Amino acid sequence: MTAPPPSTTTAPAHRHRRLAELETIKEQARRGPDPSATERQHAKGKLTPHERIGLLLDDDSFTEVEPLRRHRATGFGLENRKPYGDGVVTGWGTVHGRTVFVYAHDFRAFGGALGEAHAQKIHKIMDMALAAGAPLVSLNDGAGARIQEGVCALAGYGGIFQRNTRASGVIPQISVILGPCAGGAAYSPALTDYIFMVRGTSQMFITGPDVVKAVTGEEITQDALGGADTHTATSGVSHFVYDDEDDCLDDVRYLLSHLPANNRELPPTAPCDDPPDRRTDALLTAVPDDPGHVYDIRTVIEEIVDNGEYLEIQPAWAANIVCALTHLGGDVVGIVANQPATTAGVLDIDASEKAARFVQFCDAFNIPLLTLVDVPGFLPGIDQEHHGIIRRGAKLLYAYCNATVPRISLVLRKAYGGAYIVMDSRSIGTDIALAWPSNEIAVMGAEGAANIIFRREINASADPETTRRRKIKEYRTELMHPYYAAERGLVDDVIDPADTRTALIRALTMLRGKHADTPCRKHGNPPQ
């Protein structure tokens, strides 16, 4: 017997009730399990997950995934606490019209702590980002593993770390620390490309102040141990620091505007109203002729790049080297530059590691490299040697030698010894090597070289000081004149500083179609 058709008057009412129920549930998920928790979040200067995602993504572009997910754990009262979303918001949207995936911890639910269902939501969105070939941004504000769920929570972290590693060099991964990020939770940001932090609310550490005091007897605050300024200026863990979440998330958008969606694409170009043949006359006086006089390399960068705009990476850490993303003729370029204003621009452990990581990132995502060279050498000293300047300095050498993107180097002034070689010299594979007439490319400075080569002659002379000055001049004239390297093919051209922008853009245009074959291997084994 055929059942009668449903009443045409009751079915719409039934659907209406279901839709109203759905809206109520979704609103509850957005509002959080406790309305007062939102007030507490705002009182700390922190936003809710949906508020943060609203600032990160283009207006009305967010599509949420699994907003109704709930955990199934029992014990320790968990069966009575089953908030929708399980403490994390996941989904995708757009930034400047391009797809970006995001997950955001919700501190209002279990303090943002990671449980099994929570982790599975993150795993899913990470898998979706990798499959779609789009950047992934994590908004971190969680208290670590959900202790009540035991080892299942720890296994959830393992799945995140594995996916971070698999996505490394394939899609851009950005971590934004907007609250606590402790214990195992700190390792996921450490595996990503860039870390953003906010003063006063962001903390990252493996063991908190209480554990530190119990084990070592040392007393320290959370901010001093793992706050934003500590990780930005001292440890080098974080790349950017801000005073509030609005500015922080705005710069995440700005960073994304420089990056390709994945390693199979080129970075996006930008409209450019700065003429590519603009003369850079200010560079004629920006760099002092005396190699001992300091200046700020940023003045050179500002004069060269489009409209003087660039995004500096880790400006507060290892300040003796500058790494920046910018545009030249509308194309994205990564700049690595010695900074004579800080320790004369010498290369040390921190500067080498900072630049190596940046070079590797640019190479992974098809971003051409411009290296501005003014380096007196590697920093000498017992501390540097004992802490591994050999193996850690070799990281920068390895990164450049391994890079296949277009590479241009420009020697502004001094370029001495092994540091000259490491800073993307012709001998390690730079595509175009340029120099200004003020360049001094040599094994070492004239004074040191003369003291070694002519030591006996100087000591045996009737007037050692006069002889020393004569020999220094002789060495500089013979081996350090600005055309010595060009005469031997180690520099492609010596250019007028006023033509720098034009020369660089022409070289980049020529190199746009560069293809470099690499050896067949599973992967290299870079120095650690």
Side-chain angles (χ1 to χ4, degrees), residues 258-279:
H258 291 78
L259 308 182
N262 56 65
N263 65 341
R264 300 183 302 276
E265 297 183 4
L266 294 175
T269 57
C272 180
D273 57 4
D274 191 347
D277 58 352
R278 170 174 56 81
R279 284 180 58 82

Side-chain angles (χ1 to χ4, degrees), residues 46-102:
K46 296 163 64 177
L47 302 175
T48 66
H50 286 94
E51 289 170 340
R52 288 165 173 165
I53 291 171
L55 289 173
L56 172 67
L57 301 179
D58 297 337
D59 292 343
D60 300 321
S61 70
F62 182 54
T63 298
E64 190 167 351
V65 174
E66 294 193 355
L68 307 184
R69 185 72 177 265
R70 304 168 86 176
H71 73 77
R72 294 180 290 180
T74 59
F76 306 102
L78 284 179
E79 61 273 12
N80 300 318
R81 299 174 61 197
K82 302 178 69 173
Y84 290 109
D86 201 50
V88 64
V89 177
T90 61
W92 76 87
T94 60
V95 173
H96 303 301
R98 299 191 302 148
T99 300
V100 172
F101 288 80
V102 60

Side-chain angles (χ1 to χ4, degrees), residues 6-22:
S7 169
T8 57
T9 58
T10 59
H14 176 73
R15 286 198 297 269
H16 178 75
R17 286 195 300 272
R18 286 298 190 192
L19 290 173
E21 180 185 37
L22 175 62

Side-chain angles (χ1 to χ4, degrees), residues 450-451 454-461 463-464 467-468 471:
N451 287 338
F454 306 110
R455 181 177 64 251
R456 291 182 180 178
E457 185 177 344
I458 291 172
N459 292 338
S461 69
D463 188 349
T467 303
R468 178 181 290 106
K471 291 299 182 181

Side-chain angles (χ1 to χ4, degrees), residues 296-327:
D296 192 338
I297 192 65
R298 295 182 184 90
T299 61
V300 175
I301 295 173
E302 289 171 3
E303 184 65 18
I304 293 172
V305 304
D306 294 353
N307 300 308
E309 296 180 0
Y310 61 95
L311 177 62
E312 186 172 353
I313 313 297
Q314 291 181 300
W317 183 65
N320 44 325
I321 201 156
V322 171
C323 299
L325 290 169
T326 186
H327 291 86

